[in-house]
């Protein structure tokens, strides 16, 4: 067992595609943690989805052993973390498990908003930061600008930067040397009460919950009774060990080390990210700081396209929840879509990931309703309701005012698009609170924007108007009152629940018109005129009509046609039985699906 | 179980013969026929048809009607036609006053064929015109021209075949309401007693549907054309007695009236359909398969469902159903069978319910498929 001065715990901070996974791969190869023969790109990203999209969804710790030129062996614990804003709590917990971080900047792309956010998180935890300018081999690499950005916006001295190309194996030795030289070894008290931070967990159907943790004080070993500080659950340690990246059982996890732990606990909700684990017989006086109950920020209905898949969907969702405590789901029923679930997500990316995993891993064809955030609805009675579903918004007459969640955002864009980005912010009811130069060509805009506006295609728009160069990062910034209303869609006077949404009054008419137009395209003509209306508080703000069918008749029907015709009519009739009857209008469920699947724009 | 639906020993009331040959294939046609054929194929057809008729002979002895359709029966050469009619003569017998119809095409008729028809006893001819406009005939892919039409109509009348009907198509891409009015007037001026007007349909399997370069006229125009048909025909004594058919009273096509009202009929030839009062079946829609005696495709249904089907298709006609007549035909009571559906349709103004009758309103004609769907 190594004394802790030979241990280094570090994370990698990087924007998507800046080369985080490639660099991690290089480190694994250089330290011979992974055999060249077993090598596979993006070793640490175990999900196909992660590999394909170049994103990290779960934490992936790995222990490497590295001998420095003097022959001293060091234990290097790398915690590969998700970088996206949706997972900022998880990132903060992973960073809390480290003493340092590699900050990777793509030499051709420069500092992105997300990088800044994660650097700020790391600085707040007093982590030593080693800046790495990666991809210096690219023709478009602009190291000078990157160094300027480092100093300008991140206030990191340029001379600290290591120039590297993970792909070309340039600078890897320097990085390893810097990890040992610049990142402090863990400080701890081996004789103190055991204290370990749970920074992630996964569920394994055979082994139960596997907690990923960093031991701060004391040690953990099989047979020990451990206690979770948050919920006081006590369980016996069945196994502990470390990652190579596969799990290697060990005798003990020492103070300063990163590894995993398996107890008898089977419910993932019992071992929460950020919780502190201690020795039940000799508990620590207080938990490690920073624990938070994660709350979903974005809500949407998830429905099976085919109602018969409901049970499968239920099963799939429960499976996904085992590995994703932040994903919540509650059964709900929609008149238009049938049985489904009201689901909570950390953000839009999280929502997309869930949708994609349902489709890939469980072969579920689902539709998601218009996303909502959590509104604070203040009633005239003085009561405050938290509403994440437009259907539950009380009648306007009883509402005093509504507050919506606001985010503090940072947008980094090439200076050329500054005007366009500021317009976008204004359009989305945001406010620019300041601008800072990132370098001679880039500018950072600080803005407060309603979260709801961010989750409805803000990111796509930003990418479009900045030709792909703009980046956004944000954090919650409280609540603000605004004129939010429920927009209802009515078919011949009857509301269609799946289409109701909470929107700002100024956006109600345009959104209403868009849905009415889409519905008009998909609802078949019937024997009477159909009115499609968008209404706010009973007042119609947009309307489309579907004309009555003029005829429904086959011209030729003789002796040779009767069987075929009858079968056709029977089939139609059967199809109509499956239709939803809203306002006496028969609407095929496919119509709702088509409207919800179509992207806003 | 009722005694009516299910008595296949009865005599057929009607006989249909499908002649699966044409001179070319029209753009809109989805019926089974071969646009080109050899003398050998036509000979084999007649041979097999003769056998089919012979097998059914015992039940073809008191026929009310005959309908020779296709295809284009008149493309057969005179000796071939005479041969076919000879088979009919050998194996089937008609009661006095029976209606014997043959479909003809003005491009393929001639005096000898007309003489052969008359000799056998054909007393009704249905002439396919589709449109008098060369421009619109071209859109339909109808070859030839109508130059000889007046001659053949005169010739038919000279041979005593004076119950004449014509077919027109409306809703042709590019056709105006005025074009349609002209076609109607020209048709009525021919001295016909019966007129079938079909809205052009993009039937699956037709060239029109496959090519996909033309689009149907807007439904509003089609409805205007449909209404105009009765407006032009009315003053000339024509009554719309079925969705697509008009006739002077007494000259309705009895063969089709029977089909719509559940009369048992035998269909011979490829793709021909039959109904024995209980079951329907369809011959293979392929000349070679039919020649090789590939069995017919049955369409089995419970007695109740069959009665509902008969009810539904009878509602395509102005006559609709008389309660007694329906009970006689199917054994079921109309009101017990589909009372609530009929009441709902009456509520919607699509059918009119009298003391003893139910029949479609004018609006109901335009929603005949909807009515049928509700009643099935």
């Amino acid at each position: 067992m190594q004394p802790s001065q030979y241990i280094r715990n570090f994370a990698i901070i990087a924007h998507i595609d800046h080369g985080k996974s490639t660099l991690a791969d290089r480190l694994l190869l250089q330290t011979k943690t992974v055999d060249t023969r077993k090598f596979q790109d993006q070793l640490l990203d175990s999900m196909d989805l992660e590999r394909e999209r170049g994103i990290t969804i779960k934490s992936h710790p790995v222990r490497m052993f590295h001998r420095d030129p003097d022959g001293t062996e060091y234990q290097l614990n790398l915690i590969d973390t998700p970088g996206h804003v949706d997972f900022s709590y998880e990132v903060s917990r992973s960073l809390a498990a480290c003493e340092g971080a590699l900050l990777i900047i793509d030499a051709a792309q420069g500092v992105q908003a997300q990088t800044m956010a994660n650097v700020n998180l790391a600085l707040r935890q007093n982590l030593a930061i080693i800046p790495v300018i990666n991809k210096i081999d690219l023709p478009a690499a602009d190291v000078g600008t990157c160094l300027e950005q480092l100093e300008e916006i991140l206030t990191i001295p340029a001379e600290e930067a290591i120039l590297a190309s993970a792909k070309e194996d340039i600078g890897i030795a320097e990085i390893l040397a810097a990890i040992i030289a610049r990142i402090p070894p863990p400080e701890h008290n081996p004789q103190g009460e055991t204290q370990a931070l749970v920074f992630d967990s996964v569920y394994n159907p055979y082994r139960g919950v596997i907690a990923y943790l960093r031991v701060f004080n004391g040690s953990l070993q099989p047979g020990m009774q451990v206690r979770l500080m948050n919920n006081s659950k006590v369980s016996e340690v069945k196994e502990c060990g470390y990652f190579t990246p596969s799990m290697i059982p060990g005798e003990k996890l020492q103070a300063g080390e990163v590894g995993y732990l398996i107890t008898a606990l089977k419910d993932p909700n019992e071992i929460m990210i950020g919780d502190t684990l201690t020795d039940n017989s000799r508990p620590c006086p207080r938990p490690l700081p920073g624990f938070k109950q994660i709350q979903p920020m974005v809500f949407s209905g998830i429905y099976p396209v085919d109602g018969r898949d409901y049970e499968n969907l239920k099963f799939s969702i429960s499976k996904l929840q085992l590995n994703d405590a932040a994903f919540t789901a509650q059964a709900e029923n929609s008149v238009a879509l049938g049985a489904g679930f009201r689901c909570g997500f950390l953000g839009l990316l999280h929502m997309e990931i869930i949708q994609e995993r349902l489709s890939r891993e469980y072969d579920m064809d689902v539709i998601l309703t218009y996303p909502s955030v959590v509104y604070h609805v203040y009633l005239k009675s003085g009561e405050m309701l938290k509403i994440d579903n437009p259907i539950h918004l009380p009648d306007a007459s009883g509402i005093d005012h509504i507050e919506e969640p606001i985010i503090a955002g940072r947008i980094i864009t090439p200076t050329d698009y500054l005007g366009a980005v500021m317009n976008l912010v204004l359009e989305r009811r945001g406010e620019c609170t300041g601008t800072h130069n990132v370098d001679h060509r880039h500018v950072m805009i600080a803005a407060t924007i309603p979260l709801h506006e961010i989750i409805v295609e803000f990111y796509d728009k930003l990418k479009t108007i900045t030709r792909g160069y703009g980046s956004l990062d944000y954090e919650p910034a409280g609540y603000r009152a605004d004129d939010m209303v429920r927009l209802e869609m009515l078919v011949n006077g009857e509301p269609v629940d799946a289409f109701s949404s909470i929107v700002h009054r100024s956006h109600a008419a345009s959104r209403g018109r868009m849905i009415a137009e889409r519905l008009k395209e998909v609802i078949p003509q019937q024997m009477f005129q159909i009115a499609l209306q968008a209404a706010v508080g009973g007042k119609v703000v947009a309307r489309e009509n579907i004309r009555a069918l003029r005829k429904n008749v086959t011209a030729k029907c003789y002796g040779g046609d009767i069987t075929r015709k009858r079968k056709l009519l029977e089939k139609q009739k059967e199809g109509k039985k499956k239709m939803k009857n809203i306002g006496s209008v028969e609407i095929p469920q496919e119509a709702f699906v088509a409207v919800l699947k179509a992207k806003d724009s | 179980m009722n005694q009516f639906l299910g008595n296949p020993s009865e005599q057929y009331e009607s006989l249909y013969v499908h002649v699966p040959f044409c001179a070319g294939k029209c753009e809109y046609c989805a019926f089974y026929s071969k646009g080109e054929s050899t003398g050998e194929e036509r000979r084999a057809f007649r041979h097999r048809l003769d056998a089919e008729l012979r097998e059914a002979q015992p039940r073809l002895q008191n026929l009310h009607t005959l309908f020779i359709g296709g295809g284009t029966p008149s493309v057969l050469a005179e000796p071939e036609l005479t041969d076919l009619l000879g088979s009919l003569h050998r194996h089937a017998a008609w009661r006095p006053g029976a209606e014997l119809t043959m479909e003809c095409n003005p491009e393929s008729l001639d005096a000898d064929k007309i003489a052969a028809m008359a000799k056998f006893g054909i007393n009704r001819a249905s002439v396919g015109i589709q449109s008098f406009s060369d421009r619109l005939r071209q859109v339909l892919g109808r070859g030839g021209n109508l130059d000889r039409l007046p001659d053949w109509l005169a010739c038919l009348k000279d041979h005593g075949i004076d119950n004449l009907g014509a077919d027109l198509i409306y809703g042709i891409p590019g056709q105006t309401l005025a074009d349609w009015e002209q076609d109607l007037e020209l048709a009525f001026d021919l001295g016909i007693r019966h007129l079938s007007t079909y809205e052009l349909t993009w039937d699956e399997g037709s060239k029109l549907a496959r090519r996909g370069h033309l689009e149907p006229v807007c439904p509003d125009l089609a409805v205007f054309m449909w209404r105009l048909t009765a407006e032009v025909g009315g003053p000339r004594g024509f009554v719309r007695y079925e969705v697509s058919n008009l006739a002077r009273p007494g000259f309705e096509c009895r063969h089709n009236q029977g089909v719509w009202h559940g009369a048992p009929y035998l269909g011979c030839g490829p793709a021909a359909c039959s109904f024995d009062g209980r079951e329907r079946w369809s011959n293979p829609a392929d000349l070679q398969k039919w020649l090789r005696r590939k069995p017919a495709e049955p369409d089995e249904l419970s007695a109740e469902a069959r009665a509902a089907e008969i009810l539904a298709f009878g509602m395509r006609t102005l006559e609709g159903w008389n309660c007694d007549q329906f009970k006689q035909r199917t054994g079921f009571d109309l009101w017990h069978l589909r009372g609530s559906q009929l009441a709902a349709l009456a509520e919607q103004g699509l059918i009119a319910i009298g003391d003893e009758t139910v029949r479609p309103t004018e609006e109901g004609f335009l929603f005949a498929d909807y009515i049928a769907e509700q009643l099935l």
Side-chain angles (χ1 to χ4, degrees), chain A residues 36-230:
Chain A
T36 321
R37 282 176 300 128
K38 291 188 193 149
F39 183 75
Q40 172 189 16
D41 277 354
Q42 279 178 267
L43 262 168
L44 297 183
D45 290 338
S46 49
M47 271 186 264
D48 282 348
L49 191 61
E50 293 185 312
R51 289 217 169 85
E52 239 167 79
R53 292 186 60 160
I55 52 174
T56 303
I57 299 168
K58 299 292 286 184
S59 295
H60 301 283
V62 61
R63 181 179 293 186
M64 301 174 276
F65 292 97
H66 179 61
R67 216 168 271 283
D68 77 358
D70 310 340
T72 316
E73 189 174 66
Y74 288 86
Q75 178 196 118
L76 308 183
N77 291 304
L78 159 63
I79 303 175
D80 192 10
T81 64
H84 193 270
V85 54
D86 283 7
F87 307 105
S88 58
Y89 176 67
E90 283 89 333
V91 179
S92 80
R93 293 307 82 204
S94 292
L95 293 178
C98 301
E99 280 77 28
L102 298 180
L103 162 64
I104 304 187
I105 297 165
D106 185 319
Q109 306 262 327
V111 170
Q112 306 282 301
Q114 191 192 67
T115 324
M116 281 192 51
N118 288 331
V119 169
N120 288 335
L121 272 179
L123 289 173
R124 241 176 275 164
Q125 318 242 17
N126 290 320
L127 263 53
I129 290 178
I130 302 169
V132 175
I133 314 288
N134 191 27
K135 305 196 191 179
I136 55 164
D137 58 306
L138 288 184
D142 183 355
V143 175
T145 300
C146 290
L147 294 175
E148 189 186 341
Q149 290 174 345
L150 261 188
E151 300 214 318
E152 216 28 67
I153 198 96
L154 301 174
T155 59
I156 296 173
E159 53 272 22
E160 288 183 11
I162 298 171
L163 306 187
S165 165
K167 195 169 139 253
E168 298 298 326
D169 214 358
I170 300 168
I172 307 304
E174 288 90 324
I175 292 170
L176 284 167
I179 289 169
I180 290 165
R182 298 196 215 163
I183 296 176
E187 277 174 31
H188 62 92
N189 172 9
Q191 270 69 52
E193 298 93 350
T194 299
Q195 242 184 343
L197 172 71
V198 178
F199 62 86
D200 207 347
S201 75
V202 295
Y203 178 81
N204 180 297
Y206 307 106
R207 318 193 69 178
V209 185
I210 301 167
Y212 292 9
L213 39 81
R214 152 75 194 268
V215 185
F216 277 86
N217 286 310
S219 62
L220 292 163
Q221 58 196 46
M224 199 170 152
Q225 294 288 321
V226 289
R227 182 198 298 182
L228 285 151
M229 300 287 283
N230 176 50

Side-chain angles (χ1 to χ4, degrees), chain A residues 552 554-555 557-558 566 573, chain B residues 198 244 260 299 309 366 369 376:
Chain A
N552 178 7
T554 305
C557 189
Y558 296 117
R566 189 197 72 238
K573 196 171 180 174
Chain B
Y198 302 115
S244 300
W260 292 318
D299 166 23
E309 176 203 78
L366 285 171
D369 284 5
L376 282 175

Side-chain angles (χ1 to χ4, degrees), chain B residues 227-291:
Chain B
R227 292 196 199 284
L228 183 68
T229 307
E231 281 163 24
V232 175
R236 297 166 189 257
F238 279 75
V239 173
R240 178 168 2 239
Y241 72 97
E242 192 261 357
V243 172
S244 300
N245 286 286
L246 295 88
R248 288 177 188 274
F251 293 95
E252 298 85 2
C253 175
R254 278 150 54 197
H255 179 86
N256 285 330
Q257 286 278 51
V259 166
W260 292 318
H261 288 97
Y265 59 93
L266 181 70
C268 294
C273 299
S274 305
F275 178 54
D276 66 4
R278 183 181 60 186
E279 275 183 24
R280 298 186 187 279
W281 63 92
S282 315
N283 284 350
D286 179 295
L287 179 63
Q288 291 308 321
K289 286 180 182 153
W290 174 76
L291 288 175

Side-chain angles (χ1 to χ4, degrees), chain B residues 212-225:
Chain B
H213 63 299
L214 290 173
E215 280 192 23
V217 298
C218 87
D220 287 2
L221 178 59
V223 170
F224 284 138
M225 288 178 167

Side-chain angles (χ1 to χ4, degrees), chain A residues 506-552:
Chain A
S506 65
H507 294 179
S510 60
R511 177 167 160 76
R513 198 171 311 113
M514 181 198 76
I515 302 175
E517 281 165 7
R518 290 224 184 108
L519 280 174
K520 186 177 178 172
E521 284 166 27
V522 294
I523 296 179
Q525 278 186 307
Q526 320 222 340
M527 294 183 59
F528 41 83
Q529 174 173 293
I530 302 167
L532 305 169
Q533 296 163 309
V536 171
K539 190 171 161 277
V540 174
V541 295
R543 177 182 174 125
E544 289 282 338
N545 288 328
I546 298 177
R547 294 184 50 192
L549 201 59
R550 296 300 302 268
K551 63 185 174 68
N552 178 7

